[in-house]
Amino acid sequence: MNEKALYKLEFHKIREKLANYAITDEARDQIKLLRPTSDPSEVYKLQGQTNDAINISLKKGRLPINRIKQIKTSIQRVQIGGIIGSGEILNIGKVLKTARLLKKYAHEEVMDTQLNTLGEYFDSLYVYKELEYEINRCIIAEDEFSDDATPTLSSIRRQISRLNLKVKDTIQSIIQSTQYKDMVQEAIVTVRDGRQCIPIKAAQKTSFKGIVHDTSGSGSTVFIEPAAVVEMNNKIRELISAEQDEIQVILATFSEKISFITEELLLTFDSIITLDIIFAKSEYALKINAHAPVLNEKKYINLKGARHPLLNPTTVVPIDVYVGSDFTTLLITGPNTGGKTVTLKTIGLFTIMAQCGLFIPAKENSDLAIFDDVFASLGEEQSIEQSLSSFSAQMVNLIEILTDMTTNSLILLDELGSGTDPTEGAALAMSVLEHLRKQQITTVATTHYSELKLYALSNNNVENAGCEFDIQQLRPTYKLLIGVPGKSNAFEISKKLGFPEHLIDDAKVFLQKENIKMEDILVELEYSKRTALVEKENALKFRQEAEDLKDSIKKERQKLEVSRQKILKRAEEKGKELLRDVEIETENILKEVRQTARDALSNIDENTLQSIKQKVHQTKATKSAELDKKIGYTKPKPKLLKDVKIGEEVLVISFNQSGIVTNIKNNKVTVQLGILPVTVKLDDISRSIKSGQVDKEYSKKQGISHNVRKTMTIRPEIDLRGMTGDEAIEAASQYLDDAYLSGLKNVTIIHGKGTGVLREAIKNMLRKIPHVASYRPGKYGEGEHGVTVVELK
């Protein structure tokens, strides 16, 4: 993109702010050269990198990057066999340490989320732990090496230390000696030419054995190295030279090791700098509360709550602006300092930021297009050197724009046609706008000319917009109203400031009728716009109230329905409890009838009793249905058995007993229940999973299990004495069914000893009952052969 637009839109200030969030100097330098790209795939990638960096940094914090310096020069020297200094080696050690920490950072992050667009940079980091640790162990700081760097260096430094101590002790003994008391000028040790010397009186220098290294300015003192320490100092000099030689060996060793991994180091350094730049973008986005724009390649811009990033965030007024969908040219009018230029700069700056991978300080889901280039003609373009007026400079700039632009460019024009005769300037401005409109180039322009406002009203793909101005407060509100042209408000402002009204009235006379009509249109449009906004706000308010009322009514209905269901359930349970009591009482009466008949040694018609029992069941079902109808309960219809066959064992739901199907006719089934044939409807039977097992779903609907009802009345034994063989078999069969359904495991059948005929008949019957697990004669104390103990499944 052209540098002039970047400068006019103050993108260099954004780069400076962004650079403050980078850690390394190299990253800061690259950020200050940052330029937008027009390649859509690259823009999407850059935006994805910033988004991933924000997500990761919110979880993990900032990247663990050290303040490393560039390594390119050092790498070039070792590649040609040169030796680099300790500071350069230390810097490479910091690069290696940063790479290791970043690898750890990335590894921990992978456990939580994918690195997505940043993965390639983390993968390009090379880690050499041994070399990193060795550098840190041997080199403490620039030109400062550890004593333990090598055994040789350690030995040399120990010797130097011992000799220095010996020299010091020797000199101290000379100074403190009475022999040299009169010779010593001052009892101190000084260093001359790297040698430890004693200040001796000039008159005594011939008496003091040693080497003269210096003389004081007055000539009264000479600095003499005592002869006793000359050899030791010479040895120290040799050791210091050996120390420097060993340090060169250390530097050469590290330089050689680094020469083997130069390409990896360069790639690692570049990846660190790239990550530093990406995470600087994420930090800047978080600082200015920015969001990712929704990018498109259709030249569509729709900014919501946009805040210029260079304005004070506490006072800036967010704007909503859109262009490129229903119209390609947006013409902004209004008073000076009303925010027209800020709107232009916001649109252009946001576009450049987005195409650099930066988030924008606007609401979420704000749309921005990817343009080939952004052109801006903003502010005064006067040039004394080139003898250009502001109008001439504007025309030169326009010529460059018209020459270089493409159909996918964004054009920003401030005060188009100003600086010359208003009539001619307005005509030139309209010709430029018409040229851009015909090519459907996205354009945003500002103006004061009423002719351009009329042009926008009378042409498709062009829309007016105005910066609102508060006449009462005499200040702009900085709100942008799209669809309503702005007014200069010159007459209103002058009148409010106390300008004579008769002069204002005279001024209006000089206006052409078209201009007066235009002002009337503006007033009417602005009034309509305000009225529409108020009506819209009221409509939204009423709609919200209606939604709240709807939710409230819905909640109340839900509460009523819950209460109703509870009442119905209690009524249903009460009614069915009464019906169960009737059924139980019927069972007890039938048993009493049988017992009475046995005591009287008379036969009873068991078929009649079963018929009575069936009628009771039917009466119960009828009453239950009536009760359900009264309380509003609808029993779900059971699924009909379509494939029931004669001879199949089924469960009769109303009797809760299993039997064998003997006949099927017209949706009615005859089921043999023991010795009693029963005809029921097809929907009154279900598939028998286990002979005699109660249908669980039916039991749930009845509110009480069949087992519970049976357990309340059944005994663990049955007495068949006094019955005929058929009576005994029928009673025992019925009893065993009830006992099985009630959950009893062991029961006793009392048949007496007698001739044994009844006992054999009972045994034969037990062999045929499927839910009998085993049976045996009674033991001593149980009744022996007079009873049969049965174990049920």
Side-chain angles (χ1 to χ4, degrees):
M1 290 189 181
N2 64 89
E3 289 295 333
K4 185 178 289 187
L6 296 181
Y7 179 77
K8 283 291 182 181
L9 294 171
E10 300 180 286
F11 183 60
H12 58 285
K13 295 182 180 179
I14 298 296
R15 289 186 293 207
E16 289 174 2
K17 288 181 175 291
L18 178 61
N20 293 330
Y21 293 93
I23 298 174
T24 62
D25 293 337
E26 183 71 16
R28 291 195 186 99
D29 293 340
Q30 290 189 24
I31 287 173
K32 290 177 182 178
L33 300 175
L34 186 65
R35 293 174 56 84
T37 176
S38 58
D39 182 2
S41 61
E42 185 68 18
V43 175
Y44 288 122
K45 179 182 178 181
L46 292 173
Q47 285 287 330
Q49 290 173 351
T50 305
N51 184 67
D52 291 341
I54 287 177
N55 292 334
I56 295 172
S57 61
L58 286 175
K59 292 181 180 179
K60 310 286 293 182
R62 287 218 64 176
L63 288 181
I65 296 179
N66 289 303
R67 293 187 177 276
I68 56 177
K69 300 176 182 178
Q70 67 88 14
I71 62 171
K72 186 175 181 181
T73 305
S74 303
I75 295 300
Q76 288 175 343
R77 291 221 310 276
V78 298
Q79 284 178 333
I80 60 174
I83 298 175
I84 57 178
S86 58
E88 294 171 289
I89 295 173
L90 268 180
N91 184 50
I92 290 174
K94 288 182 180 180
V95 172
L96 294 174
K97 181 179 180 180
T98 300
R100 176 174 56 81
L101 294 176
L102 287 176
K103 275 287 190 181
K104 182 181 178 182
Y105 179 96
H107 176 72
E108 292 174 351
E109 181 57 31
V110 167
M111 304 305 291
D112 300 325
T113 182
Q114 295 298 319
L115 294 171
N116 297 332
T117 58
L118 305 180
E120 60 178 296
Y121 302 110
F122 285 104
D123 291 340
S124 299
L125 299 170
Y126 288 86
V127 177
Y128 297 95
K129 287 185 180 180
E130 292 184 3
L131 179 58
E132 174 203 339
Y133 293 153
E134 192 67 12
I135 290 173
N136 292 331
R137 185 184 69 81
C138 295
I139 306 176
I140 299 173
E142 187 171 356
D143 296 329
E144 184 178 350
F145 293 80
S146 170
D147 293 344
D148 299 327
T150 64
T152 301
L153 183 63
S154 178
S155 174
I156 291 172
R157 286 186 173 176
R158 283 197 302 272
Q159 293 180 59
I160 292 173
S161 178
R162 285 197 301 268
L163 285 173
N164 277 327
L165 185 60
K166 190 174 181 180
V167 168
K168 182 179 179 181
D169 292 342
T170 301
I171 292 177
Q172 285 295 329
S173 65
I174 292 173
I175 291 174
Q176 294 172 6
S177 172
T178 55
Q179 181 182 351
Y180 303 103
K181 182 177 180 181
D182 295 333
M183 299 181 185
V184 176
Q185 183 76 278
E186 194 175 357
I188 60 173
V189 179
T190 62
V191 177
R192 293 291 187 272
D193 296 332
R195 299 278 188 156
Q196 297 186 51
C197 302
I198 299 174
I200 302 296
K201 296 174 183 179
Q204 300 292 330
K205 67 178 182 179
T206 57
S207 303
F208 189 86
K209 294 182 179 180
I211 300 174
V212 178
H213 287 280
D214 199 4
T215 303
S216 66
S218 62
S220 62
T221 304
V222 292
F223 300 95
I224 301 176
E225 178 185 8
V229 299
V230 169
E231 287 301 320
M232 289 188 286
N233 278 333
N234 288 339
K235 183 62 176 177
I236 290 173
R237 284 289 184 91
E238 293 175 4
L239 289 172
I240 289 174
S241 177
E243 179 188 28
Q244 292 303 314
D245 291 342
E246 184 62 21
I247 287 174
Q248 287 300 310
V249 170
I250 294 171
L251 295 177
T253 302
F254 279 125
S255 298
E256 182 181 12
K257 290 180 179 180
I258 290 170
S259 68
F260 293 121
I261 56 171
T262 54
E263 296 299 327
E264 291 85 350
L265 283 172
L266 289 172
L267 186 59
T268 297
F269 182 80
D270 290 342
S271 297
I272 292 172
I273 299 305
T274 302
L275 287 170
D276 193 9
I277 294 172
I278 293 171
F279 276 81
K281 293 178 182 178
S282 71
E283 290 294 320
Y284 182 56
L286 293 172
K287 178 67 176 179
I288 63 174
N289 192 26
H291 296 95
V294 179
L295 300 172
N296 67 83
E297 300 171 48
K298 300 178 180 179
K299 302 189 286 187
Y300 175 55
I301 296 173
N302 184 15
L303 299 177
K304 306 170 186 176
R307 296 167 282 108
H308 196 289
L310 297 178
L311 297 179
N312 189 332
T314 60
T315 59
V316 63
V317 177
I319 61 170
D320 296 336
V321 58
Y322 53 89
V323 63
S325 179
D326 299 330
F327 51 89
T328 58
T329 301
L330 181 64
L331 191 62
I332 305 174
T333 53
N336 290 328
T337 70
K340 302 190 301 297
T341 304
V342 170
T343 300
L344 281 184
K345 287 186 174 182
T346 301
I347 295 172
L349 188 57
F350 276 23
T351 299
I352 292 171
M353 289 173 65
Q355 292 184 214
C356 287
L358 292 167
F359 282 9
I360 57 173
K363 292 181 180 178
E364 291 183 292
N365 298 318
S366 291
D367 297 274
L368 279 175
I370 301 173
F371 293 103
D372 293 340
D373 209 336
V374 177
F375 295 94
S377 177
L378 304 171
E380 293 292 333
E381 297 281 354
Q382 290 176 307
S383 173
I384 296 176
E385 293 178 358
Q386 297 180 18
S387 300
L388 294 176
S389 66
S390 59
F391 175 76
S392 299
Q394 184 184 113
M395 289 301 104
V396 170
N397 198 16
L398 270 176
I399 292 170
E400 293 179 1
I401 292 173
L402 295 173
T403 302
D404 298 335
M405 70 182 186
T406 68
T407 56
N408 190 35
S409 294
L410 174 63
I411 311 297
L412 305 172
L413 306 173
D414 190 26
E415 299 297 346
L416 182 60
S418 63
T420 186
D421 178 75
T423 303
E424 293 181 353
L428 281 171
M430 279 191 284
S431 68
V432 171
L433 292 177
E434 183 65 12
H435 177 67
L436 298 173
R437 183 186 72 86
K438 287 180 179 179
Q439 297 186 69
Q440 295 186 338
I441 296 175
T442 304
T443 305
V444 183
T446 68
T447 185
H448 280 291
Y449 294 144
S450 297
E451 292 86 349
L452 294 182
K453 302 174 188 177
L454 288 172
Y455 166 78
L457 287 172
S458 58
N459 284 279
N460 294 327
N461 278 344
V462 184
E463 185 63 85
N464 268 312
C467 289
E468 190 179 51
F469 190 88
D470 189 338
I471 296 297
Q472 299 300 322
Q473 301 291 331
L474 291 180
R475 63 180 180 83
T477 65
Y478 303 106
K479 291 182 179 178
L480 186 69
L481 304 176
I482 295 180
V484 179
K487 299 196 301 180
S488 63
N489 294 302
F491 291 158
E492 287 80 0
I493 294 173
S494 300
K495 183 177 180 181
K496 193 75 177 178
L497 292 173
F499 196 79
E501 288 193 30
H502 69 277
L503 294 180
I504 295 175
D505 294 336
D506 292 343
K508 290 181 178 179
V509 173
F510 291 104
L511 284 176
Q512 295 180 3
K513 292 183 179 179
E514 291 79 3
N515 289 337
I516 297 173
K517 184 178 179 181
M518 181 62 193
E519 290 296 319
D520 293 339
I521 292 173
L522 292 176
V523 172
E524 183 179 348
L525 283 173
E526 186 168 1
Y527 175 77
S528 300
K529 180 74 174 181
R530 291 175 181 272
T531 303
L533 289 173
V534 172
E535 293 296 330
K536 181 180 179 182
E537 290 177 0
N538 290 337
L540 291 174
K541 181 180 178 181
F542 293 147
R543 179 178 179 181
Q544 186 61 46
E545 290 177 355
E547 290 291 338
D548 293 342
L549 182 59
K550 180 181 176 182
D551 292 340
S552 177
I553 293 173
K554 185 177 180 181
K555 290 178 181 178
E556 289 298 326
R557 284 183 175 176
Q558 290 175 346
K559 290 180 181 178
L560 289 173
E561 182 62 24
V562 171
S563 299
R564 176 177 172 273
Q565 291 296 330
K566 288 181 179 178
I567 293 171
L568 291 178
K569 188 173 182 180
R570 286 197 297 268
E572 179 191 3
E573 291 175 352
K574 187 65 176 176
K576 292 186 176 180
E577 183 179 351
L578 293 173
L579 292 174
R580 286 196 298 270
D581 291 342
V582 171
E583 185 180 16
I584 293 170
E585 185 63 26
T586 302
E587 289 281 352
N588 292 335
I589 292 171
L590 291 176
K591 289 184 178 180
E592 290 177 4
V593 170
R594 290 192 185 98
Q595 187 61 40
T596 303
R598 285 196 295 271
D599 292 342
L601 300 177
S602 61
N603 294 329
I604 61 173
D605 188 353
E606 189 64 32
N607 290 337
T608 302
L609 293 179
Q610 292 298 330
S611 296
I612 293 171
K613 184 175 180 180
Q614 185 176 2
K615 287 179 181 179
V616 172
H617 279 294
Q618 292 173 349
T619 301
K620 177 192 173 186
T622 302
K623 294 298 182 181
S624 179
E626 292 176 358
L627 178 61
D628 290 342
K629 185 176 181 181
K630 288 179 180 180
I631 66 176
Y633 173 74
T634 303
K635 183 183 296 185
K637 294 182 179 180
K639 294 182 180 179
L640 297 180
L641 292 179
K642 297 182 180 180
D643 56 347
V644 66
K645 299 177 182 178
I646 295 176
E648 183 179 353
E649 183 178 6
V650 296
L651 178 69
V652 180
I653 297 174
S654 57
F655 284 91
N656 283 328
Q657 293 187 20
S658 294
I660 304 299
V661 177
T662 59
N663 189 27
I664 305 172
K665 186 176 182 182
N666 296 330
N667 283 337
K668 289 188 177 182
V669 182
T670 301
V671 181
Q672 188 72 29
L673 300 178
I675 64 171
L676 177 67
V678 176
T679 301
V680 296
K681 291 183 179 180
L682 194 59
D683 60 4
D684 194 26
I685 65 172
S686 66
R687 190 79 64 197
S688 178
I689 300 173
K690 187 175 181 181
S691 179
Q693 183 176 348
V694 179
D695 187 304
K696 294 181 180 178
E697 190 64 29
Y698 175 79
S699 298
K700 282 183 181 179
K701 294 171 186 174
Q702 296 303 314
I704 185 170
S705 71
H706 183 77
N707 291 354
V708 172
R709 294 201 302 271
K710 289 295 180 183
T711 306
M712 289 191 296
T713 58
I714 197 163
R715 295 173 60 82
E717 74 277 338
I718 182 172
D719 192 350
L720 305 179
R721 289 176 295 184
M723 296 184 185
T724 64
D726 292 338
E727 290 175 347
I729 290 173
E730 193 279 331
S733 177
Q734 178 69 34
Y735 169 76
L736 291 173
D737 288 344
D738 291 344
Y740 173 71
L741 292 174
S742 68
L744 294 179
K745 292 298 183 183
N746 294 285
V747 296
T748 302
I749 299 176
I750 304 172
H751 43 67
K753 296 180 180 179
T755 61
V757 174
L758 186 55
R759 180 173 63 247
E760 291 301 320
I762 293 299
K763 287 183 180 179
N764 291 332
M765 176 200 70
L766 292 174
R767 294 191 186 98
K768 300 175 182 178
I769 297 177
H771 46 271
V772 172
S774 64
Y775 56 89
R776 60 176 176 79
K779 298 179 181 178
Y780 179 77
E782 292 179 332
E784 300 180 352
H785 292 290
V787 301
T788 298
V789 179
V790 181
E791 181 184 358
L792 299 175
K793 293 182 180 178

